[in-house]
Structures are given as C-alpha cells and as structure tokens.
Amino acid sequence: MLMQNTYYKYYNLLLLGAISFSALACSNATADDEAEKAYELIRINQLGFYPEGPKVAVIAAATDDNAFHVLSVDDTDTLYTGNLSGERTSPYSGKTTRIAHFSDFKQPGSYKLHVAGLGNSYSFSIREKIYEKLAQASVEGFYLQRMSVELPEKYAGQWARAAGHPDTVVVIHASAASEDRPEGSTIAAPKGWYDAGDYNKYIVNSGITMGTLLSAYEDFPAFANDFSLNIPEQDNDLPDLLDEVLYNLRWMQAMQDPADGGVYHKLTTADFEGMVMPEEATNTRYVVKKTTAATLDFAAVMAQAARVYANFDAQLPGLADSCLQVATSAWKWAEKNPAVLYDQPAMNEDFSPAITTGAYGDGDVSDEFIWAAAELWISTGDEQYREHIKPMGEDEQMPLPSWAQVRSLAYYSLLRHQQTWKENEPEMLKSMKSQLKTMADGLMENHQENAYATIMGGREKDFVWGSSAVAANQGIALLQAYKMFDDKKYLEAALSNLDYLLGRNATGYSFVTGYGHKTPMFIHHRPSEADDNEEPVPGLLSGGPNPGQQDECDYPSDAADESFVDAECSYASNEIAINWNAPLVYLAMAIESYHQQDNKK
Ligand code: 9MR
Ligand code: 9MR
C-alpha cells in the first residue's frame, strides 16, 4: 500500500514538473526499482535547459545499450534518440561514465531521459528563463540570512521567524581595545547576514561576498534593475538586489572604528552557539581585533559600493559619499598597519575570553592591498592608488577568487572599467586581457573529456571546503572571458558548471536547497535544524564535496568528487555560506541575462 501510494504521489509530482521532493527521491519505496535506480544514475541538471542551449546528461553506470532516449514526461513517446559517448573515468573514484549529448533537441516541454536496462532520469524542462527563479531564490536566500530583524511570513513563507541578534550592544573584546573604546565598552553593529550555518558575522567573508554581488550589479545593470525579489523593500525605488546588499553594507559600516579607520575582524560570540533558533542564541557578542585583511576588504567593498550607489543619490542621499570616505580612512589605516594578521590561537594566548569561532585568518594580505587599491583607483581616479595595483607577473596564473584570495576581483573590476584608464595604460590592459584569457583557457582544458564533462573537477584541488563555490567562481571567471572576448565557448563552459551544481556531478545532488529533485535536506544551518519545517531554508548553496572531511561525519565515499554527505553534522561538506551563495547569484543572473539578451537580438 505504502509503496503504491508513494509511487503514485511521485508520479503526480513528476507530471506537475514539481521540484524539491527530495525526501521521496531518497526513499527506496517505488513500484519500479529499475526506474528508481536511474533517477540516481542519470546525472542531469535537475531544473533543465534553454531550448537553444547545450544539453548534456551523464550516465554514471555501466550500460549495455549505446543509445539514450528523451521521453515525454508521461512516458509514452520517444521524442529523440542519441548515442552515448565512449566511457570516461573519474580520476578520483575510478568509476566510469558515458555522456549523452542532446543539444539539438529543442522542443520546449517536460521530459525525462531513458536508457534501456537502467530506466528513467528525473524529469526536467526545456524552456526559456529556466534559471530565472533560481537566480531570484539565490538572492532571497540572503534575505533569509538577515539578522536583527523578524522575517514575516509574507516574505519568508514557512521559514518566517522572530528577530534574533539585535547586535545593539556588542562588547569590545580585549584584542580590540583602543583609547576611545576600552575593553568591555560597547558599540552597536546591527543588521547584516549570518555568515553561514553559524550566527556570527565576519568582515573578510563579507568582503568577497559583497564584491561578487556588487559586480553582478555592475556587469548586468539592466537585468538587475528589472529583477524583482520577494523582500520588504520591493516597492521602493532602488533595485531589489541593491536593497539586499545594503542590508549588509549598513552592518559593515558599523564595524569600522571612526577614531582611526581600522575595521574589526569579526562580530562573534566567544564560542559557536547551539543548534537553536536565532532568538534563543543570546550569548554575549564581541567585536574582535582590527586586522589588515578586514580593513582592506572593507575598503574595497566600500569603494565599489560608492560608485554603484552613486547612481541612486536621490534615494539614498549621501550614502555614496560616506562609502568613499570610510573606504579612504580604512585604506589609510591599512597603510599604517600593513601586517596585522588574524592568528586566533596566538590571540587567545594574550586575551580572554578565548574566541573559538570561524577564523578567516589570512596569512598573506598582498592580494587584499591590490583589490582595495583597484577599487579605490577606479572610484576616485586618485593616482596614489595606482602604484599598489600589480598586474600578474609573466609566469604567474590569475588565481580563482576565494575569501582568502581576492586578487582577481581587482582585475575583473579593472577590466570592467577599462574605459576609465586604458588610454593611459595600454600595457596594463594588454597584460590583464591576456592573463584573463590564459586563466579561462586553462580552466577549459580537456573539460569535454572529463567524467562529467564539466569545468568543475578538472583539477583535484577543485574539491575543497566549499567546493560548490569553486564551481561557481570558475563560472564567473569564464563569464568574464565571455564578456571580454565574445566567444560562446566560455559561456557554454560556465553553463556546464551550473549543470554541475544542479545535479550533473558525482554525488547526484543538486546542491541548491529546494531547487531540483534531490537536494540537501539536512544542511548544517542552525535555523533549518531548529525550526519545525521539514524542508531546509531554500535558495542556499551547500558546500559540496570536500575530501578533507574535517567534521569526521560518516561519508559514503573517500573519493574527492564524492566526499559529500547530506547530514547535519557535516559542516565540512554540507554547510551553506554567503561567500558560496554570492557566486551562485552571479552565475544564475549572468546566464539568465545573456540568455534574455540573446532572445532580444
Ligand atoms: O557550527 C559550526 C560551523 O558553522 C563551522 O563551520 C564549523 C567549523 O568551524 O564549526 C561548527 O561548529 C562545531 C564546532 O566546530 C565543533 N563542535 C560542534 C560544532 C557544531 O557542529
Ligand atoms: O569557508 C571556510 C573554509 O575555507 C575553511 O577551510 C573553514 C575552516 O576554517 O572555514 C570555512 O568558513 C566557515 C567559517 O569559519 C565559520 N562559518 C562557517 C564557514 C563555512 O563553513
């Protein structure tokens, strides 16, 4: 009975083309075991494809048949038949795969892929604007991370919750004491987003997050101006994306000590809070030690924000000016304090209480200097910053951005604003363009031959803590190249990584909560664990495979590309974080924006 019912429900959901019924997908109870097996073994972007776009699926199992078929979702008609590629091997697990290419099948509708002897894939759609809702949800995920404010049902749906963490009384930690602000005195630093599954706020990680979101605005202003989100500010006359960004900008501004321009590294409890709702997490909050990395990331973000919000001076009088002013004073502090690094264990020897939350300790701030200088130079034109902008050396590779490595963010911004400086700096322009091309071409190398035919996974080092963000940031790098060189191969390669994130990978998960058939249900995320909902907060990107397995949870595999477990304990593979969601926002927005532009041509 139960089995039949479950199958019936499943089947109906498929017909509806509904997404997010992962709990069912995980259970083995279906009437048709063969069909069930294929859901797991045919790896496909679980949302679907554009009619004119590339379409690829991966068969992660041995097959006797060389053909695959596209069926209409109700199983009756075969609409397309193609041949599977020869076998590929994952260098990590040794498992073999075969690739199904069906880009020339363009008919809009809902389908599944069928392989004889294996069964059917999850259903997927072919239609315009296929990632529009994902793009919105990934920004609304930030809304759902807002602190110091109630999330009413109107915007948060079943994830509505009470306000937590007012952060109006935040204690100056001994490591952060100054003449005007002695140890134990207090400041207010409300608002901002929770960093991740924990309840703290970290300037360094906010840095790349904000830089990425502001860049999404700068690269796609037309799309972003029309982009409407279900957030409380939706009716004001600021683009919704910039409303969301502003919520964290206000917090960041409060993290600067106005007396000297230095910026506190983080706002945190001494230890991680329990797995409780925000309003129940009421331990003392501290601001901790001013650092060079935090101060420079702050300077970069504020300088970029100054030029973005300058277009909205009527709505936000004075904001752009104040951003520029705090960016400048932060830069001055960093010049005077060029090497104040965050070493948490060392700090804990000197000060109490000991702080044991996320460190975001970066031992090398040369890239932060370059990023801050670039953003300040672009926004002010002041030549004092120019000497700090170092293009990559001949034998260096442009590094993929991460919270600890922001050098390429400088180059992305400089190339975006090249019209303001290229006349005077032809050499720099030439070298930056060629470096970007080298980076993108390096990512592209052999990717068609990979086990999943994605850019992601081409290098073992792709699989680190937060590997989903590696995939998304590779996508951004390729999109920078597409913008610069107008070669479609870069756009398609970026799309292959969106396919990776949405299910074409060695785990079979779509890593975005609520978006796909098999999605993480047990993310390491306090509100998702503590509330009454079965489904986690939606629109959040799970960290993804991480062979480090630092959480020591029970993983199904040790292979790099399979080191993922959908379990609450797994903060090393299944947490969510703002610096992972931001490149997902960029990737989804960019791909939708290019797609909609193409349709207008
Ligand atoms: O919940 C914490 C998570 O946000 C961090 O990413 C992770 C690593 O710093 O730590 C988690 O907290 C765990 C702590 O480190 C060890 N004890 C169990 C905590 C909750 O799982
Ligand atoms: O994303 C961070 C990762 O690069 C580090 O290896 C890891 C351990 O230091 O910390 C990650 O960041 C966590 C932060 O320290 C606390 N909030 C949750 C973050 C995501 O797990």
Side-chain angles (χ1 to χ4, degrees):
M1 248 336 258
L2 177 82
M3 281 174 71
Q4 255 179 352
N5 265 339
T6 312
Y7 184 67
Y8 183 70
K9 218 161 131 193
Y10 208 151
Y11 190 67
N12 271 331
L13 280 168
L14 280 175
L15 284 178
L16 290 170
I19 50 172
S20 170
F21 46 96
S22 336
L24 282 175
C26 291
S27 90
N28 282 321
T30 79
D32 184 344
D33 273 355
E34 280 299 295
E36 173 73 13
K37 214 171 84 195
Y39 290 137
E40 300 285 322
L41 294 177
I42 300 180
R43 304 287 161 76
I44 193 164
N45 181 324
Q46 294 173 24
L47 295 186
F49 310 95
Y50 295 123
E52 298 298 325
K55 300 173 198 76
V56 176
V58 172
I59 318 304
T63 56
D64 299 330
D65 207 342
N66 286 324
F68 69 93
H69 311 275
V70 178
L71 309 183
S72 76
V73 85
D74 60 12
D75 217 353
T76 51
D77 303 323
T78 291
L79 301 168
Y80 180 93
T81 297
N83 283 327
L84 296 170
S85 76
E87 285 189 350
R88 314 275 173 83
T89 307
S90 158
Y92 313 113
S93 67
K95 290 183 185 159
T96 56
T97 63
R98 299 180 73 177
I99 318 288
H101 290 279
F102 54 109
S103 304
D104 47 351
F105 180 69
K106 299 178 175 178
Q107 175 73 37
S110 290
Y111 308 99
K112 52 198 175 185
L113 214 81
H114 179 82
V115 177
L118 273 187
N120 298 330
S121 73
Y122 296 112
S123 67
F124 60 89
S125 300
I126 296 180
R127 62 176 175 82
E128 309 295 349
K129 300 194 177 182
I130 184 93
Y131 311 121
E132 188 177 45
K133 207 152 165 264
L134 171 76
Q136 286 163 336
S138 58
V139 187
E140 286 162 2
F142 283 88
Y143 169 72
L144 297 170
Q145 287 288 96
R146 284 192 193 182
M147 68 176 89
S148 317
V149 73
E150 183 198 353
L151 305 186
E153 206 189 325
K154 180 162 185 224
Y155 308 110
Q158 69 191 86
W159 297 278
R161 56 169 168 79
H165 302 94
D167 283 346
T168 45
V169 182
V170 178
V171 176
I172 303 281
H173 186 253
S175 63
S178 58
E179 205 180 312
D180 295 346
R181 294 178 166 184
E183 173 184 358
S185 61
T186 63
I187 62 166
K191 301 192 177 178
W193 304 305
Y194 295 115
D195 181 60
D198 64 325
Y199 286 149
N200 305 302
K201 327 187 238 205
Y202 308 86
I203 286 289
V204 166
N205 206 41
S206 262
I208 182 168
T209 302
M210 296 284 276
T212 303
L213 294 175
L214 287 166
S215 297
Y217 184 82
E218 287 199 296
D219 281 338
F220 306 100
F223 183 85
N225 285 338
D226 281 350
F227 191 55
S228 66
L229 302 171
N230 188 26
I231 60 174
E233 298 82 3
Q234 63 192 176
D235 294 328
N236 70 11
D237 45 11
L238 199 65
D240 292 356
L241 176 65
L242 296 185
D243 279 314
E244 195 49 54
V245 167
L246 187 59
Y247 196 80
N248 199 60
L249 192 86
R250 298 285 191 203
W251 163 64
M252 287 184 79
Q253 287 193 327
M255 290 294 281
Q256 186 183 43
D257 181 351
D260 61 5
V263 177
Y264 304 108
H265 195 71
K266 58 176 172 172
L267 192 164
T268 181
T269 46
D271 302 303
F272 285 114
E273 298 271 10
M275 292 292 162
V276 298
M277 289 303 282
E279 77 271 23
E280 288 156 36
T282 54
N283 287 324
T284 303
R285 312 261 293 170
Y286 298 91
V287 287
V288 177
K289 193 175 168 128
K290 293 166 196 166
T291 63
T292 311
T295 304
L296 287 168
D297 284 339
F298 173 99
V301 167
M302 292 300 157
Q304 188 178 12
R307 61 176 186 264
V308 168
Y309 287 95
N311 300 314
F312 302 97
D313 204 44
Q315 294 89 329
L316 297 161
L319 178 69
D321 289 347
S322 79
C323 286
L324 206 51
Q325 191 245 313
V326 297
T328 312
S329 58
W331 173 266
K332 283 188 186 135
W333 187 91
E335 276 200 305
K336 272 186 237 141
N337 302 273
V340 185
L341 305 180
Y342 191 74
D343 178 346
Q344 195 156 270
M347 182 182 82
N348 286 338
E349 281 174 22
D350 296 338
F351 303 107
S352 69
I355 303 291
T356 61
T357 54
Y360 290 115
D362 186 352
D364 177 354
V365 294
S366 58
D367 51 311
E368 283 77 8
F369 268 105
I370 293 171
W371 184 33
E375 299 297 351
L376 277 158
W377 189 53
I378 296 165
S379 289
T380 64
D382 185 336
E383 284 306 317
Q384 68 161 307
Y385 301 113
R386 172 62 188 88
E387 66 179 281
H388 298 275
I389 300 171
K390 299 191 177 58
M392 302 301 300
E394 287 285 326
D395 47 1
E396 290 176 310
Q397 283 263 10
M398 250 175 91
L400 201 70
S402 70
W403 63 262
Q405 177 48 263
V406 293
R407 187 164 181 172
S408 298
L409 299 183
Y411 306 139
Y412 294 171
S413 282
L414 287 163
L415 287 170
R416 178 182 308 129
H417 292 281
Q418 54 172 278
Q419 73 284 358
T420 65
W421 55 269
K422 66 177 176 192
E423 300 298 319
N424 304 325
E425 304 265 7
E427 279 309 307
M428 185 157 90
L429 181 66
K430 206 170 131 218
S431 113
M432 269 177 204
K433 280 171 88 164
S434 102
Q435 287 283 354
L436 177 65
K437 188 155 187 318
T438 305
M439 180 200 209
D441 291 345
L443 287 169
M444 301 268 298
E445 224 161 87
N446 296 331
H447 83 278
Q448 300 286 8
E449 278 68 54
N450 292 346
Y452 291 86
T454 55
I455 299 295
M456 177 62 185
R459 296 133 295 268
E460 184 153 22
K461 69 175 196 299
D462 289 352
F463 296 104
V464 292
W465 192 316
S467 59
S468 293
V470 172
N473 275 307
Q474 290 173 339
I476 296 180
L478 292 159
L479 288 163
Q480 299 301 316
Y482 176 55
K483 188 165 51 121
M484 194 61 47
F485 309 114
D486 200 26
D487 185 337
K488 269 250 151 86
K489 74 178 181 197
Y490 297 120
L491 177 60
E492 295 195 352
L495 193 50
S496 81
N497 272 12
L498 189 62
D499 288 345
Y500 166 93
L501 291 174
L502 296 173
R504 200 171 97 214
N505 61 57
T507 73
Y509 280 89
S510 164
F511 292 117
V512 186
T513 54
Y515 286 79
H517 295 275
K518 183 178 180 181
T519 57
M521 291 297 282
F522 307 103
I523 49 175
H524 184 88
H525 181 243
R526 282 162 175 74
S528 295
E529 289 188 38
D531 71 8
D532 296 331
N533 292 311
E534 236 175 85
E535 295 88 1
V537 171
L540 301 176
L541 181 61
S542 168
N546 168 17
Q549 303 188 1
Q550 292 87 340
D551 47 43
E552 293 176 14
C553 300
D554 220 354
Y555 283 70
S557 162
D558 287 334
D561 56 352
E562 298 178 340
S563 281
F564 173 76
V565 56
D566 180 22
E568 285 164 3
C569 72
S570 188
Y571 54 77
S573 83
N574 198 32
E575 193 166 345
I576 62 92
I578 56 174
N579 65 314
W580 308 340
N581 248 68
L584 172 66
V585 167
Y586 187 106
L587 191 58
M589 272 184 63
I591 286 173
E592 268 298 307
S593 171
Y594 282 127
H595 174 69
Q596 294 180 21
Q597 279 170 33
D598 270 359
N599 280 357
K600 277 185 206 137
K601 272 182 199 159

